Amino acid sequence: MFENRSKIFLGICLSLILVLSSAAGALAGQPAVEPQTLALIQKLASKPELMHIGYLQYLIGLPENWRAQRGLSKKTYFWYQEPRRHVAYQLDQAGPLSGSVTTSNFTINVPNSRITFKDVEKLFGTGHRETFDHRAYPTRVIAVSPTTHIAFVQPHDSFRVNRIVIGYQGPPLPAPSRDDLELAYNFRKAEALMACQNGRGETGIPFLQADLARQPDNARLHLHLAQAYKSHLMLNEAIESYNQAMRLSGGDPAVVAACQAGLVELKVLPAGTVKNQGRKSYLAGHQADGLGL
């Protein structure tokens, strides 16, 4: 019975993703929610233990304030969206002890969504609960299980949902399984590298940043991140990452050449630097393998 209910719920969530994606696509030139982000609804609602930065880092990157939250029993993480730096995602967690989570709420902010409560009713029926959030905004709550729900929040007089919250309250959540982490990591890595190769650096940046937090001395990851920054016109960040990649390369000629080529494109290094390996660079004051880096 539970298995059938899960399949029905999965189908409903996938339908919701399609509806929201279609609505978002109608908003040409405005911030919209990507289908990958909307897929989080199904993932987190069916497996609330995935509301964990160890898992989320592979899908949306690490929150900026993750280090400051370590050791706290009550945590609030923020993911910002550039260029306006509004909060795109928020994760609030609490438990009796540090590392023990009994309450978890993951918020997806969709300020330009066109989803209405009527759309929610069409997809989920009229059996959901009508209530108000802490700001007295009308809210429709769908129970996924005795411990997990999805809430759709609509500001006054807007007639559009602007927040989707996946909430959990129950026994301490386990850590994400190794299989879940491995699947998320491998999928996101392939997707990020493909995005970078196709000039969509903004898609790959969050994953590469998260992966570098685990492997800060990986020269090739710094190189991939530099290329992603460059394609997204984040030029200062690209230069810094290229330099980091060269410092950590151990003289790997492929990494060094790729970094120098990128810096030549950015007009930081003079043309011909890649060919003239014996020439001293003015980027750094120490030498390595005759490259001046």
Side-chain angles (χ1 to χ4, degrees):
M1 179 178 178
F2 179 75
E3 183 179 353
N4 289 336
R5 183 179 179 184
S6 298
K7 289 180 179 178
I8 292 171
F9 174 69
L10 174 58
I12 290 173
C13 282
L14 291 175
S15 299
L16 174 61
I17 289 169
L18 292 174
V19 169
L20 288 175
S21 299
S22 176
L27 296 172
Q30 299 183 29
V33 182
E34 296 182 358
Q36 294 105 323
T37 301
L38 291 174
L40 281 174
I41 298 170
Q42 188 274 327
K43 291 178 181 177
L44 302 187
S46 59
K47 285 188 171 184
E49 66 270 21
L50 299 183
M51 286 189 273
H52 188 287
I53 62 168
Y55 179 84
L56 293 171
Q57 65 176 326
Y58 299 128
L59 300 184
I60 57 175
L62 281 169
E64 289 185 12
N65 64 335
W66 70 276
R67 293 182 187 276
Q69 304 292 307
R70 291 182 298 183
L72 301 179
S73 59
K74 187 175 182 180
K75 303 177 177 67
T76 299
Y77 301 100
F78 297 103
W79 288 262
Y80 296 95
Q81 181 173 322
E82 302 294 349
R84 297 181 181 178
R85 282 189 63 77
H86 74 268
V87 177
Y89 308 102
Q90 179 174 331
L91 176 62
D92 298 281
Q93 294 186 319
L97 299 170
S98 174
S100 175
V101 176
T102 54
T103 301
S104 186
N105 291 287
F106 184 80
T107 301
I108 304 172
N109 289 310
V110 285
N112 294 292
S113 164
R114 289 189 177 180
I115 189 75
T116 67
F117 282 161
K118 287 186 177 180
D119 295 317
V120 175
E121 289 177 1
K122 288 176 183 176
L123 291 165
F124 294 93
T126 57
H128 52 255
R129 183 163 54 95
E130 299 182 15
T131 183
F132 298 90
D133 75 348
H134 64 284
R135 289 179 290 187
Y137 288 172
T139 303
R140 301 292 170 93
V141 180
I142 299 152
V144 179
S145 74
T147 58
T148 310
H149 68 270
I150 307 172
F152 297 84
V153 183
Q154 175 181 286
H156 295 300
D157 302 323
S158 71
F159 307 106
R160 297 291 185 271
V161 169
N162 78 339
R163 284 191 302 131
I164 301 170
V165 183
I166 299 95
Y168 170 86
Q169 187 166 12
L173 285 170
S177 72
R178 184 172 180 176
D179 287 344
D180 281 325
L181 292 175
E182 200 70 24
L183 283 171
Y185 173 80
N186 290 332
F187 173 79
R188 188 58 171 168
K189 183 173 184 178
E191 188 179 60
L193 295 179
M194 182 65 71
C196 293
Q197 291 171 7
N198 293 334
R200 294 183 290 109
E202 72 281 1
T203 304
I205 286 169
F207 169 81
L208 293 169
Q209 289 173 330
D211 211 14
L212 270 173
R214 296 193 338 159
Q215 307 176 65
D217 297 328
N218 189 315
R220 288 186 177 273
L221 278 177
H222 281 284
L223 171 59
H224 290 314
L225 183 58
Q227 293 167 335
Y229 281 143
K230 181 165 68 71
S231 72
H232 197 43
L233 300 180
M234 299 173 68
L235 304 186
N236 290 333
E237 292 84 352
I239 292 168
E240 182 180 350
S241 292
Y242 275 130
N243 284 326
Q244 276 288 87
M246 285 195 286
R247 292 188 186 103
L248 296 169
S249 68
D252 183 333
V255 173
V256 172
C259 290
Q260 290 182 330
L263 291 170
V264 167
E265 272 192 68
L266 294 172
K267 302 189 184 304
V268 175
L269 286 178
T273 299
V274 179
K275 294 180 181 179
N276 190 355
Q277 294 291 327
R279 185 174 179 177
K280 183 176 180 179
S281 166
Y282 54 79
L283 272 182
H286 63 285
Q287 293 194 2
D289 297 333
L291 297 173
L293 297 168

